[in-house]
Amino acid sequence: MFFGLINSIHSLKVINFQLLPQNLYIRIVINFILYTLVIMENNQPISFTPKSFIQRITIIHLALIIGLLLFAGVTYSTVETNVLVFDFDSNFFTVIVPAMAISMAFASNFIFTKKVNELSNVSLLKDKLMGYQTASIIRFALLEGPAMFSIVIYMLTGNLLFLIMAGVLIVYFITIRPTKEKIEMELNLNFEHKATFNQMDEEIK
């Protein structure tokens, strides 16, 4: 069924499949490098302090954004013919891509909020922060998926509309950058936890 769908798309000539291998290979390499850096950062033998936690989650967020920007930039430089077409009749990607972007954006916020709210019953600050990091990574992944998908569809069709959609998602991705103030507010830390979290270089046990 999947290959039948691909052949049908190819027959409609809405996709240039010759562009697929090279760019996806570039994206795989970029992701491998960035995720390796994240893993190396997480495995550093450092104490768990508010400062190290904020640095770690910031690096994860920044790495994903850099990966998307590099992928978008490389893809744009390799696409020879660019057009801006709003074709909702013959190109079903014009409907699928924005629908996927909007739904995944809402899903990412819903799941993130749900998981963060569940942390209100957690007593230890360290467990709260680790739970927040997990919720954030899920949120980031749900946003990265449709952004990357939009870039891939742009790569295959040459329609700048999909690159613009990816750009909107990336901008939104940037706005949810985790900061000390956001973490305190979203976790709704009590006075004791907030006092501990404000001691940036003190180890949290």
Side-chain angles (χ1 to χ4, degrees), residues 121-154:
N121 297 322
V122 177
S123 58
L124 296 178
L125 177 58
K126 184 174 183 179
D127 292 339
K128 280 181 177 289
L129 294 177
M130 293 305 296
Y132 182 90
Q133 178 175 291
T134 300
S136 296
I137 291 174
I138 294 173
R139 186 188 198 184
F140 299 159
L142 290 175
L143 287 174
E144 185 196 31
M148 188 168 67
F149 182 68
S150 299
I151 297 171
V152 170
I153 300 304
Y154 159 69

Side-chain angles (χ1 to χ4, degrees), residues 3 6 17 36 44 48 69 74 79 82 84 86 91-92 99 107-108 115 130 147 172 180 185 199-200:
F3 291 105
I6 294 297
F17 281 87
T36 299
Q44 291 297 316
F48 191 90
L69 290 174
V74 171
V79 174
N82 289 294
L84 184 60
F86 297 85
N91 191 342
F92 60 88
S108 68
K115 287 192 169 294
M130 293 305 296
Y172 175 66
K180 179 177 178 295
M185 180 185 66
Q199 298 175 356
M200 299 297 289

Side-chain angles (χ1 to χ4, degrees), residues 77-95:
S77 67
T78 58
V79 174
E80 296 180 357
T81 303
N82 289 294
V83 294
L84 184 60
V85 180
F86 297 85
D87 187 1
F88 293 94
D89 295 325
S90 60
N91 191 342
F92 60 88
F93 284 121
T94 311
V95 176

Side-chain angles (χ1 to χ4, degrees), residues 2-14:
F2 175 77
F3 291 105
L5 177 61
I6 294 297
N7 289 331
S8 299
I9 296 172
H10 187 271
S11 65
L12 292 174
K13 299 187 183 301
V14 296

